Amino acid sequence: MDIRSQFPILNQTVYGKPLVYFDNAATTQKPQCVIDTLCNYYKSLNSNIHRGAHYLASQATEQYEQTRRKVKEFINARHSHEIVFTRGTTESINLVASSFSQRFISKGDEVVVSAMEHHSNIVPWQLACERQGATLRVIPFDDQGILDLDAFAALLNERTRIVAVTNVSNTLGTVNPIAEIIRIAHSREIPVLVDGAQAISHRKVDVQQLGCDFYCFSGHKMYGPMGVGVMYGREELLEQMPPYQGGGEMIKDVTFERTTYNELPFKFEAGTPAVGDVLGLGTAIDFISQIGIGTIAATEKELTDYATGQLQQIEGLRIYGTAPDKTSVISFLIGNAHPYDVGTLLDKLGIAVRTGHHCTQPIMDRYGIPGTVRASFAVYNTRDEVDTICAAIRRIAPMLQ
Ligand code: PMP
């Protein structure tokens, strides 16, 4: 079946123009199979999971736990209990930053992040450093958007407690050499958290092969529902880390004198989870697997190369993020035009892009710009759509001077 036709939302007009959806790095659209899973869950399965003594509860629990096994297979984790369901990448990173730092970071210690992190992989560490009296150190990147690995290696010392780095930059599209980063950090016995929000739907992720200690991602950026994400953590570390939130499910026994905690992964899943959304994430994984992540990557690369070539021919257009290994993200500016003005005019022509700092203000500071216009592609985008945005930019350019 044709991939695009599985996405009902794409088949519409906005302002009387066919919708061109190029905001996939913010969130991808959802295929009918994912929408069906959500509907069917609420139509026939809705029930609170675990501990339920009735049919619906046991069915919902079974499917929820089956999805955990599916995620484990998808990222090739060693154990299902290393998969913790969260609300998304942001919550996953906050969980690790909060819990890991309580156990492993103390006064005078250091945490290393990169200068191209999303705010979600900066602020939780700033908060943790503030609480624990630690210092944040930052890996720089060059004009092309490539991390400086020599500078990275030089930042590490006996006080470095963790490295937190993104697999793929949501603004520049750079695919970072995380296997190498992990190798360098591990040679000094420093654990590594990888923000996989922008990688998971574009590249094969194998957490055992990478050897990363934590890997975080969101369902909604991989054709799944909003409100669900994953925190993968290595068992040895998760066992030593305290709970993140207190509440139902994460306990073994509660008395006013002393509470003991549940085993993994439940220790980190307090309260009622988003069961329907977790099941929807499972269907999104099936959707990706059916197409094949290799096919998705190849399709997107072909489109990104084409779009890059076409955009570069437009006078006054500058692309930010030109690393050789990139995913399907193109950030650009046109002349002196403010990105917001470009985005607003493109919107009126039916083209959805994102404008601004993309929650990566340090990247904007690095280039000395207020923001960019970002077009990001998914597997369902087409060359015709790229031609549409190029024609639109040529049309609006004179209005922007
Ligand atoms: N990290 C990166 C690299 C991202 O692109 C995003 C989303 N833009 C996040 C973290 C945060 O993801 P979420 O909002 O789904 O928690």
Side-chain angles (χ1 to χ4, degrees):
M1 192 185 175
D2 171 46
I3 291 173
R4 191 178 172 90
S5 64
Q6 296 183 45
F7 291 81
I9 203 170
L10 298 175
N11 186 27
Q12 64 177 302
T13 54
V14 294
Y15 311 113
K17 309 267 193 264
L19 171 66
V20 173
Y21 186 76
F22 282 164
D23 195 17
N24 294 288
T27 195
T28 57
Q29 297 302 349
K30 321 304 172 200
Q32 188 63 49
C33 56
V34 168
I35 299 168
D36 288 345
T37 296
L38 289 175
C39 286
N40 290 338
Y41 172 74
Y42 285 109
K43 268 190 202 158
S44 58
L45 200 61
N46 178 50
S47 172
N48 212 328
I49 55 166
H50 303 132
R51 300 175 312 277
H54 59 85
Y55 178 81
L56 289 183
S58 68
Q59 289 295 305
T61 303
E62 172 50 28
Q63 293 199 22
Y64 182 85
E65 291 306 326
Q66 202 179 318
T67 307
R68 199 190 303 277
R69 293 192 286 276
K70 196 178 281 184
V71 174
K72 167 204 174 276
E73 296 295 323
F74 188 60
I75 62 170
N76 192 32
R78 191 168 290 124
H79 308 291
S80 292
H81 57 256
E82 294 178 317
I83 306 298
V84 173
F85 288 119
T86 63
R87 284 193 302 122
T89 310
T90 302
E91 190 176 61
S92 297
I93 298 172
N94 274 280
L95 187 165
V96 179
S98 168
S99 171
F100 179 93
S101 66
Q102 282 178 59
R103 174 69 178 76
F104 293 109
I105 300 179
S106 34
K107 198 167 163 44
D109 285 344
E110 296 183 2
V111 171
V112 172
V113 297
S114 91
M116 66 168 77
E117 297 309 310
H118 189 281
H119 296 164
S120 290
N121 201 25
I122 298 175
V123 185
W125 297 111
Q126 284 177 324
L127 291 168
C129 285
E130 234 166 71
R131 265 193 314 264
Q132 308 299 126
T135 306
L136 198 66
R137 310 288 301 272
V138 183
I139 315 164
F141 62 87
D142 70 10
D143 285 349
Q144 277 187 284
I146 299 173
L147 287 180
D148 182 339
L149 289 197
D150 292 335
F152 165 60
L155 278 178
L156 303 180
N157 60 51
E158 67 287 349
R159 299 312 308 252
T160 314
R161 292 291 168 259
I162 191 164
V163 173
V165 70
T166 195
N167 196 160
V168 171
S169 161
N170 62 308
T171 299
L172 305 170
T174 312
V175 179
N176 286 320
I178 49 165
E180 178 64 2
I181 289 171
I182 292 163
R183 195 192 59 73
I184 294 169
H186 281 185
S187 72
R188 308 193 61 147
E189 290 174 14
I190 300 165
V192 178
L193 173 141
V194 180
D195 173 351
Q198 295 294 338
I200 195 76
S201 73
H202 304 287
R203 289 287 198 276
K204 175 70 197 153
V205 171
D206 181 328
V207 292
Q208 286 192 71
Q209 197 176 31
L210 284 172
C212 57
D213 301 276
F214 303 100
Y215 197 96
C216 306
F217 56 95
S218 303
H220 72 95
K221 292 183 197 282
M222 52 184 293
Y223 309 104
M226 287 189 172
V228 61
V230 169
M231 189 282 290
Y232 156 80
R234 267 198 318 112
E235 180 186 40
E236 297 87 315
L237 286 171
L238 294 183
E239 288 287 10
Q240 297 176 67
M241 287 160 49
Y244 172 51
Q245 294 181 326
E249 197 58 39
M250 50 72 72
I251 52 88
K252 194 172 272 159
D253 281 302
V254 177
T255 65
F256 284 112
E257 289 69 39
R258 182 163 178 269
T259 290
T260 52
Y261 306 125
N262 206 339
E263 60 200 22
L264 294 175
F266 310 111
K267 180 171 87 172
F268 291 109
E269 289 184 4
T272 302
V275 181
D277 299 319
V278 166
L279 303 195
L281 173 62
T283 305
I285 289 175
D286 294 340
F287 171 80
I288 290 173
S289 304
Q290 272 157 23
I291 302 172
I293 195 81
T295 305
I296 293 177
T299 308
E300 291 174 348
K301 176 168 172 29
E302 201 267 331
L303 192 64
T304 308
D305 288 349
Y306 176 70
T308 305
Q310 294 300 108
L311 288 167
Q312 272 168 342
Q313 287 173 30
I314 298 174
E315 207 186 311
L317 190 145
R318 300 182 305 284
I319 292 177
Y320 292 86
T322 52
D325 195 6
K326 277 185 65 170
T327 57
S328 49
V329 169
I330 305 181
S331 263
F332 62 91
L333 286 175
I334 308 165
N336 294 322
H338 196 279
Y340 182 75
D341 295 337
V342 179
T344 307
L345 290 171
L346 289 176
D347 175 50
K348 294 292 177 289
L349 297 171
I351 303 165
V353 292
R354 191 145 293 252
T355 63
H357 54 59
H358 316 298
C359 299
T360 56
Q361 280 185 346
I363 295 185
M364 303 306 145
D365 293 345
R366 164 71 178 71
Y367 287 113
I369 53 177
T372 69
V373 182
R374 184 185 70 185
S376 52
F377 313 124
V379 69
Y380 42 65
N381 288 122
T382 66
R383 278 188 176 223
D384 279 353
E385 291 181 306
V386 170
D387 292 342
T388 303
I389 193 175
C390 290
I393 292 171
R394 286 202 161 87
R395 187 169 149 199
I396 64 174
M399 299 178 213
L400 294 164
Q401 303 313 317

